[in-house]
Amino acid sequence: MNVIDILRQRGFIEATTHEDELHRLVENNYPVTCYIGFDPTAASLHVGSLVPIMALAHMQRAGHRPLALVGGGTGLVGDPSGKTEMRKLLTLADVEENAQGIKDQLARFIEFGSGGAQLLNNADWLVNLKYIDFLRDIGRHFSVNRMIRAESYRVRLESEEGLNFIEFNYMLLQAYDFLKLYDTHGCRLQMGGSDQWGNIVAGIDLIRRMRQVETYGITFPLVTTAGGAKMGKTAQGAIWLDPELTAPYDYYQYWINTDDRDVIRFLSLFTFLPMEEVYYVGELRDAELNNAKAVLAYEATKLAHGADEAANAHKAAARMFGERRIPDTLLPSSDIPRKISDDQEGGVPTSVIEKEDLEAGIPVFKLYQSIGLTDSASAARRLIKQGGAYLNGMRIEQQDYLVTEDDLEEDELVLRAGKKKYHKIRMKR
């Protein structure tokens, strides 16, 4: 089974160009250099970026050579794909700062270094392009009629804001990236989200016209949860890969709260566990399926934050919500702690609250003060304002939020201040 078969089996592939030729490429032209572009609009990637990241990691594990391209130059223009309004334009200083954060996160999944993966920035060749030369050498190969039929442009053309000229150039710039990476690194394969199909095909066509060489493309499906939400998006905001923005424990909790219907799909996409073990999860129900979610959460957190942080998050969850004893036969390739030793099961401070109090509702800042997580109500308000207050693993956004019986999970609430101070509240019936 080659890497294309692996990606398809695990649910990564929505569409490919030249399917048979692509298979021959990865089997006969070893190793294949491939690339994916990453938008540097923030200093951190989020869970929604994991499909392309994991695809690059699978390519590397199969012996191929991945290139991660930070769009420092194209970020100065803004990709209209998938957007109904213009993206915020970045400065070079913004891009350089964001690129370093992105590299740090990618390094958890991909091995950078001599002979291995590389992180590149297209600002290195796009910023100093001579406009007239670019139009003569590159622009002449593009049909405006064909470009405006591309999905990425059509959506913007039909939107209220429309498509401006600087964005119209984006397809040319991304196609030029592919050409540049072919010339300098022998890159023959570009991968990206389904919204990048038109841009990828434009690059393939440009290389064919200018170098008389066939190159290839793969697009990934837009991954949504069974409930229809975008991956990594919650009511409290994005789930970031940067541990300063989303703590490893909260990252773990995001995965352990996976919908039952998504467990097999997420184990396939977001872990490296063997598929024969993953398929077995389809036979599980209730508590056994919850154990599989714990393995998913542990494996996903280990990839993003390392084994120590994953184990710490797993142990913290056991202290607060009860230990999960994971059978040795469930996803046996995982090194998740199957039993948490007694010396790691230290208690979490616990209080009891009357049902009548919750029926009336308690302002969350008062709750923080009353259980001693903050010294005063004003300190609790500051904590909430600074984003350091959590209820059942979710960041509290409103200082006057009323905690009611609806917030209970199995008759309990878990409040957190900062990264390490927890307090459990049980309702007295």
Side-chain angles (χ1 to χ4, degrees):
M1 181 180 289
N2 65 39
V3 69
I4 304 301
D5 296 324
I6 292 171
L7 291 175
R8 189 175 294 284
Q9 179 190 39
R10 300 187 80 102
F12 283 87
I13 295 179
E14 177 171 282
T16 67
T17 64
H18 315 91
E19 177 81 12
D20 293 339
E21 292 90 339
L22 180 57
H23 272 81
R24 286 196 289 271
L25 176 76
V26 298
E27 291 171 352
N28 303 327
N29 295 270
Y30 195 85
V32 172
T33 299
C34 60
Y35 97 92
I36 294 176
F38 293 91
D39 189 354
T41 51
S44 175
L45 300 171
H46 55 71
V47 167
S49 301
L50 281 180
V51 166
I53 294 172
M54 292 293 288
L56 285 181
H58 277 289
M59 292 294 293
Q60 186 173 54
R61 284 175 170 233
H64 301 291
R65 184 184 180 212
L67 306 176
L69 182 66
V70 175
T74 42
L76 300 173
V77 173
D79 181 3
S81 303
K83 298 292 180 182
T84 57
E85 58 185 23
M86 186 175 177
R87 295 174 186 253
K88 175 186 175 184
L89 298 183
L90 303 174
T91 67
L92 280 174
D94 293 333
V95 168
E96 290 174 2
E97 180 179 351
N98 293 348
Q100 184 56 52
I102 290 172
K103 182 176 183 180
D104 292 343
Q105 292 143 35
L106 291 175
R108 290 285 190 183
F109 300 82
I110 303 164
E111 183 180 348
F112 291 102
S114 177
Q118 291 191 51
L119 182 79
L120 306 172
N121 187 338
N122 64 13
D124 293 342
W125 55 82
L126 292 182
V127 170
N128 294 317
L129 277 178
K130 294 181 178 179
Y131 188 57
I132 298 300
D133 291 344
F134 182 75
L135 291 179
R136 286 172 56 88
D137 297 339
I138 305 299
R140 66 190 180 89
H141 294 290
F142 287 79
S143 162
V144 171
N145 290 347
R146 187 182 305 165
M147 289 173 67
I148 61 177
R149 289 197 297 269
E151 180 71 13
S152 56
Y153 286 158
R154 186 185 61 78
V155 171
R156 286 299 304 278
L157 285 167
E158 294 175 358
S159 71
E160 184 175 340
E161 183 174 327
L163 179 75
N164 66 38
F165 182 71
I166 190 173
E167 294 172 303
F168 189 65
N169 285 270
Y170 191 91
M171 182 180 287
L172 280 71
L173 296 175
Q174 184 166 327
Y176 182 71
D177 283 344
F178 200 175
L179 174 67
K180 187 74 174 180
L181 293 175
Y182 170 77
D183 287 344
T184 57
H185 293 81
C187 182
R188 300 281 300 277
L189 173 62
Q190 181 183 174
M191 301 187 288
S194 57
D195 61 342
Q196 295 299 312
W197 177 260
N199 295 332
I200 291 173
V201 170
I204 292 170
D205 187 57
L206 179 65
I207 295 171
R208 183 189 305 116
R209 290 171 180 269
M210 297 190 67
R211 301 292 183 264
Q212 293 75 54
V213 172
E214 197 65 67
T215 51
Y216 306 90
I218 293 174
T219 58
F220 312 125
L222 174 64
V223 179
T224 58
T225 67
K230 286 186 177 181
M231 279 298 298
K233 298 292 186 181
T234 69
Q236 288 69 39
I239 304 298
W240 301 98
L241 302 187
D242 185 340
E244 296 300 318
L245 298 176
T246 298
Y249 175 79
D250 296 324
Y251 192 84
Y252 178 95
Q253 286 297 313
Y254 172 79
W255 293 103
I256 209 166
N257 288 319
T258 294
D259 188 295
D260 291 357
R261 296 167 291 177
D262 289 327
V263 177
I264 291 180
R265 187 162 57 113
F266 288 1
L267 282 166
S268 303
L269 288 170
F270 304 122
T271 80
F272 292 111
L273 297 175
M275 287 303 296
E276 57 268 23
E277 297 179 14
V278 172
Y279 290 141
Y280 170 74
V281 174
E283 302 175 11
L284 305 180
R285 298 291 184 273
D286 303 326
E288 290 180 326
L289 187 58
N290 287 336
N291 284 336
K293 292 181 186 181
V295 177
L296 167 64
Y298 173 82
E299 291 292 325
T301 305
K302 182 174 71 171
L303 285 172
H305 300 298
D308 289 345
E309 291 289 2
N312 289 339
H314 181 61
K315 294 167 189 172
R319 289 195 297 270
M320 286 184 291
F321 303 112
E323 180 183 353
R324 297 180 186 275
R325 297 181 182 270
I326 313 294
D328 292 340
T329 55
L330 175 62
L331 299 164
S333 295
S334 174
D335 61 356
I336 186 173
R338 303 281 167 169
K339 180 182 183 303
I340 299 172
S341 61
D342 293 338
D343 63 345
Q344 293 169 331
E345 294 180 353
V348 172
T350 303
S351 301
V352 176
I353 194 169
E354 299 290 340
K355 180 179 181 180
E356 293 75 14
D357 294 333
L358 280 179
E359 288 175 347
I362 305 172
V364 69
F365 73 90
K366 290 186 178 180
L367 201 53
Y368 265 77
Q369 179 191 12
S370 66
I371 62 177
L373 278 177
T374 60
D375 296 330
S376 64
S378 59
R381 286 183 177 275
R382 284 195 301 273
L383 180 70
I384 296 167
K385 185 177 181 180
Q386 294 165 1
Y390 292 79
L391 172 62
N392 296 334
M394 298 298 181
R395 182 179 283 118
I396 301 167
E397 303 289 350
Q398 301 172 8
Q399 297 178 29
D400 296 318
Y401 179 80
L402 284 180
V403 179
T404 69
E405 201 171 351
D406 292 338
D407 294 299
L408 291 170
E409 295 184 356
E410 298 182 358
D411 286 345
E412 292 183 345
L413 304 167
V414 177
L415 297 176
R416 175 159 68 86
K419 291 185 178 181
K420 298 182 178 180
K421 293 177 64 177
Y422 294 90
H423 196 105
K424 184 185 292 186
I425 300 176
R426 290 196 176 103
M427 187 180 73
K428 182 179 180 181
R429 290 191 177 273

